[in-house]
Amino acid sequence: GWTPLTLVPILTNSAGGILVGLVIKYAGTVRKGFALIFGILLSGIVQSALDENKTLSREDVAGGVLAALSLWLHSTNPYVARRVEDAAISATDTFRLDGTTKPVRRAGGRKSRKED
C-alpha cells in the first residue's frame, strides 16, 4: 500500500532531476560532470566517516585528487575562442595547388551568372 514514506523517494528523485536541469542550464555539462564526481567522492567520505567498517580506498583518494586537479585546471585555463579574423588561415579559405589560399564566398554573397 501507499504510505507517506512512499513520497520520499518520489520527491527526492524529482528534486534531483530539477537540480540537474538547473545545473546543466546555468553551469554547463562540464561543471555537471565535476559536480557529479565530487558528489560521489563526498558521499564516500561521509559513508566512511559514519560507518567504521568502510574506509576510502587508494583508488577513491586518487580519483578525488585527479578530479580536484582537473577542476582546478578547467577553472584556471578557460577556453577562449579564436576570432576568425585573427587566424592565419580561416575556416572559409580553400587551398590552391600552388600553396596559396582563396576565400570562399558565403551563401549570401554568391555571384550571379551575369557577373561570371
Side-chain angles (χ1 to χ4, degrees):
W2 289 83
T3 65
L5 289 177
T6 309
L7 293 176
V8 172
I10 294 170
L11 293 175
T12 56
N13 283 338
S14 61
I18 291 171
L19 285 175
V20 166
L22 289 173
V23 166
I24 290 174
K25 181 177 180 180
Y26 293 109
T29 56
V30 173
R31 289 189 182 166
K32 176 197 168 264
F34 287 128
L36 177 67
I37 292 167
F38 281 111
I40 292 170
L41 181 67
L42 182 64
S43 66
I45 291 170
V46 169
Q47 184 178 10
S48 67
L50 294 178
D51 190 2
E52 293 109 18
N53 296 331
K54 295 188 180 183
T55 60
L56 288 177
S57 66
R58 278 186 257 150
E59 291 86 5
D60 295 334
V61 174
V65 169
L66 287 174
L69 178 65
S70 64
L71 180 60
W72 177 75
L73 286 172
H74 180 73
S75 62
T76 57
N77 300 306
Y79 173 74
V80 178
R82 230 176 23 163
R83 290 187 7 208
V84 174
E85 295 85 23
D86 294 342
I89 299 173
S90 72
T92 59
D93 289 342
T94 58
F95 292 96
R96 296 181 179 176
L97 292 177
D98 60 1
T100 61
T101 59
K102 172 185 160 190
V104 175
R105 291 186 175 268
R106 298 194 183 245
R110 224 171 124 176
K111 289 183 2 179
S112 69
R113 291 181 189 235
K114 293 179 185 176
E115 292 176 334
D116 286 336

